[in-house]
Amino acid sequence: LSLGLLKRALEQAKEGRLHILYHMLKAKAKHSEVLSPAVPKMMTLKVPQAAIGKIIGPGGAMIRSLIEDFGLINIDIEEGGSEGVVVITSLSEESNKKAGDKVAFLVEESNNFTP
C-alpha cells in the first residue's frame, strides 16, 4: 500500500464516522430526562457494619422478605471497614424508597439494641 492510498483511506473513514455521528446527534440531540419504566432504578445507603446482620437476618430471611415485600429486583450488601453499603434495585423509585426506609428502621433498631 502506498502512503497516499493509506492517507486517503483514513480520511474517508474519518468522514464516514463524522457523517454517522452527525445523523446520530440529529436523531437524538438530547438525553431523556425520564428513564424508561423498564430500566432498573438503584438506591445506595451507607450503614454501620454492626447493622448488616440485622438487615440480612437469620439465614437471609430479612433480606429475602424485603425483596419480596417491596417487589425489588435485588438487594446487594458490600461489607468493608466500619461501614457497609446497601444497594437496593427495583423498577420503581417508590419501592426503593420504601425499602430504604425499612432498612433505615432496621439500622436504627440495631443501634438501639444493647445486650
Side-chain angles (χ1 to χ4, degrees), residues 3 6 16-17 36 38 51 58 60 63 71-72 85 87 91 112 114:
L3 187 59
L6 189 55
R17 283 192 313 274
S36 162
I63 199 166
L72 306 176
V85 177
V87 180
L91 293 177
N112 292 333
T114 50

Side-chain angles (χ1 to χ4, degrees), residues 6-45:
L6 189 55
K7 280 184 180 180
R8 185 162 163 19
L10 290 173
E11 286 173 10
Q12 284 180 334
K14 182 179 179 181
E15 286 175 20
R17 283 192 313 274
L18 292 175
H19 179 77
I20 290 168
L21 288 171
Y22 168 76
H23 284 286
M24 286 172 61
L25 185 60
K26 200 165 96 174
K28 185 145 181 135
K30 188 178 173 192
H31 70 281
S32 299
E33 295 295 325
V34 179
L35 293 175
S36 162
V39 175
K41 283 63 171 182
M42 297 174 74
M43 173 186 225
T44 304
L45 303 166

Side-chain angles (χ1 to χ4, degrees), residues 41 43 55 61-75 88-106:
K41 283 63 171 182
M43 173 186 225
I55 297 166
M62 179 56 73
I63 199 166
R64 283 193 307 273
S65 171
L66 289 169
I67 291 169
E68 186 177 319
D69 293 349
F70 296 105
L72 306 176
I73 294 172
N74 197 19
I75 296 179
I88 301 169
T89 308
S90 78
L91 293 177
S92 161
E93 288 182 23
E94 183 180 338
S95 293
N96 284 357
K97 169 116 177 60
K98 288 178 181 178
D101 290 345
K102 178 67 174 184
V103 168
F105 174 78
L106 293 171

